[in-house]
Amino acid sequence: MKPVVSFRPAVIAIGAALLGACAGTPPAPSFDPQSDIRAQAATFIATNKDAKKMGDAGRGAVLACNVMFAHRAAAHAGTGGGLFDHSGKTRAEAKVSVFYTLVGLTDIDYQRMTDAICARAEQQLVAQGFQLVPRAELESSPQYQALRAAGRDTPYDFKPPNGDSKARYMVYSAGGATLYDARYIGAVSGLGQALKAAKGTSADQMATSVMDGFGADGISINLLVDFAQLQSSGASKTWQLAAVDKAEVSGEVGLSISGDVSFRLARHLDCWDRFGKRECMVKNGNTPMFSSKMPVLMREPFYESVEDTTTTGDKATAVLTKGLAILSAMGGVSSTSYDTTRYEVRVNPAQFGETAVTGAERFVDMALITAKSRL
């Protein structure tokens, strides 16, 4: 078994900015496949306040199963003078960036993993005693077909709000379904859905129409498969209240699973007639959700190699800007150095897929065990 790879980039003291390596945050505890999964559920699964309503759950329909895969991870840190720093000191600042890119998978590989994860999740629901609308019956219904037509096609290139523009995540939906969760499609699409809602044609209204038609709870499964955990210390913003004298990015190559499983309760649907058609919504406070308290970090092997792909240009920039920062500080002028490190995590599709599907199965099991305990 390949060990999890960690890196702690050396960070050097420059002028007035003190740059030093620190211990970093310990990695999340790994799931222990040799221990009782029920005993571990409380470590990894959190509940929202609506979970107390799980006693009202009945037959369900899996209306969404989405898996988001990290393709490129990025983290940044930097030193800087604070907003209230009036010491007059000349600072030699530093900016540190680290990028991890996953290599070796195609859209076909990602879709295959998504389909396997979601098919297994439905089996896990049944195994835990949840009664489901049969998949064939669900997909043949006009209401579900309308829901599919109202969403976004996948794979969908997801940009985390206020996140790093150079990080990249791709979302896949199972079995050719579409993506309609506002957490993914963003504010612009959210506005579009709001305008459709005024006409009774939003994706959310289509979802509640399916629930109403089948008398079933709407079950949604959303998972993130990540391959690197990055931590940064120091400021990455252009300003901060206090001076920051340390800049470090630390990280670990390790496959992890996080996400949530939610139940929109059909027993708490409000329905009415408008424009000659029936519309429904779920009352607030009636969507039990079972989500990650911390990622399920896998220790099974999933990669073939981790390669330092920092370019010659990256290295030249680091040397040049560091030298200029020191010279500028000696001359009484603040300046900044830039240090960029890049890694490629190369994987075998079958090996990565097996580990990802296993990790997803463990997360879903713990989420459903927790949900079942609230019935």
Side-chain angles (χ1 to χ4, degrees):
M1 179 184 299
K2 291 185 176 71
V4 173
V5 173
S6 298
F7 71 92
R8 296 287 188 270
V11 192
I12 303 170
I14 305 177
L18 304 178
L19 305 173
C22 62
T25 302
S30 301
F31 178 89
D32 183 359
Q34 305 304 318
S35 298
D36 181 12
I37 191 171
R38 294 179 180 275
Q40 297 182 76
T43 299
F44 292 97
I45 304 300
T47 61
N48 68 351
K49 62 182 181 180
D50 297 358
K52 62 181 181 289
K53 295 288 187 70
M54 272 302 290
D56 293 338
R59 186 171 74 146
V62 178
L63 301 186
C65 184
N66 307 305
V67 183
M68 181 161 63
F69 294 91
H71 175 69
R72 185 186 301 114
H76 312 275
T79 61
L83 183 65
F84 301 122
D85 180 4
H86 303 296
S87 64
K89 293 180 181 177
T90 299
R91 298 175 62 91
E93 308 294 3
K95 303 296 181 185
V96 178
S97 296
V98 175
F99 300 92
Y100 263 30
T101 302
L102 197 66
V103 178
L105 297 170
T106 67
D107 278 342
I108 294 174
D109 297 320
Y110 287 121
Q111 188 64 60
R112 185 183 295 117
M113 284 185 279
T114 299
D115 292 343
I117 288 169
C118 294
R120 178 60 186 141
E122 293 203 15
Q123 295 171 357
Q124 290 170 275
L125 279 158
V126 173
Q128 287 293 334
F130 292 95
Q131 184 184 0
L132 296 182
V133 175
R135 173 56 51 183
E137 185 179 343
L138 180 65
E139 293 187 355
S140 66
S141 71
Q143 296 98 326
Y144 185 76
Q145 292 169 6
L147 172 61
R148 277 194 169 187
R152 292 287 194 93
D153 290 334
T154 63
Y156 182 79
D157 195 346
F158 175 70
K159 299 295 185 184
N162 303 318
D164 193 306
S165 62
K166 295 183 179 179
R168 190 183 181 201
Y169 300 86
M170 298 298 294
V171 186
Y172 293 76
S173 294
T178 56
L179 187 67
Y180 62 88
D181 193 318
R183 290 179 295 177
Y184 300 114
I185 61 179
V188 174
S189 295
L191 176 59
Q193 292 293 329
L195 294 174
K196 289 182 179 180
K199 302 177 183 178
T201 58
S202 72
D204 186 69
Q205 286 166 312
M206 298 299 174
T208 53
S209 177
V210 177
M211 293 169 57
D212 181 46
F214 284 100
D217 301 331
I219 302 172
S220 294
I221 301 165
N222 292 279
L223 301 176
L224 167 64
V225 178
D226 209 343
F227 69 97
Q229 292 75 52
L230 302 180
Q231 305 264 348
S232 61
S233 64
S236 58
K237 300 178 181 178
T238 56
W239 62 269
Q240 58 275 338
L241 294 179
V244 175
D245 292 329
K246 289 184 179 180
E248 181 193 41
V249 175
S250 60
E252 178 177 72
V253 178
L255 190 145
S256 66
I257 309 292
S258 54
D260 58 60
V261 179
S262 64
F263 297 77
R264 302 179 74 192
L265 302 178
R267 184 173 294 185
H268 298 284
L269 277 173
D270 264 345
C271 298
W272 60 90
D273 291 324
R274 184 172 69 136
F275 305 137
K277 61 186 296 187
R278 182 174 170 84
E279 297 179 9
C280 299
M281 66 176 291
V282 178
K283 298 176 185 176
N284 289 337
N286 293 284
T287 304
M289 180 176 287
F290 305 88
S291 57
S292 297
K293 187 180 294 184
M294 62 178 63
V296 177
L297 180 61
M298 305 289 286
R299 292 291 172 177
E300 287 83 349
F302 73 95
Y303 61 88
E304 293 182 334
S305 64
V306 179
E307 302 172 10
D308 187 336
T309 57
T310 307
T311 66
T312 301
D314 292 328
K315 295 174 183 177
T317 298
V319 172
L320 176 63
T321 57
K322 192 173 295 182
L324 290 176
I326 293 173
L327 289 173
S328 297
M330 292 174 63
V333 179
S334 295
S335 187
T336 303
S337 69
Y338 297 88
D339 193 336
T340 299
T341 307
R342 305 179 195 273
Y343 295 93
E344 280 189 355
V345 181
R346 188 166 295 277
V347 301
N348 173 278
Q351 183 183 35
F352 183 93
E354 181 179 352
T355 307
V357 172
T358 299
E361 181 176 336
R362 291 169 180 173
F363 170 81
V364 172
D365 262 342
M366 289 189 289
L368 296 182
I369 286 168
T370 307
K372 189 71 174 178
S373 71
R374 299 302 183 97
L375 290 175

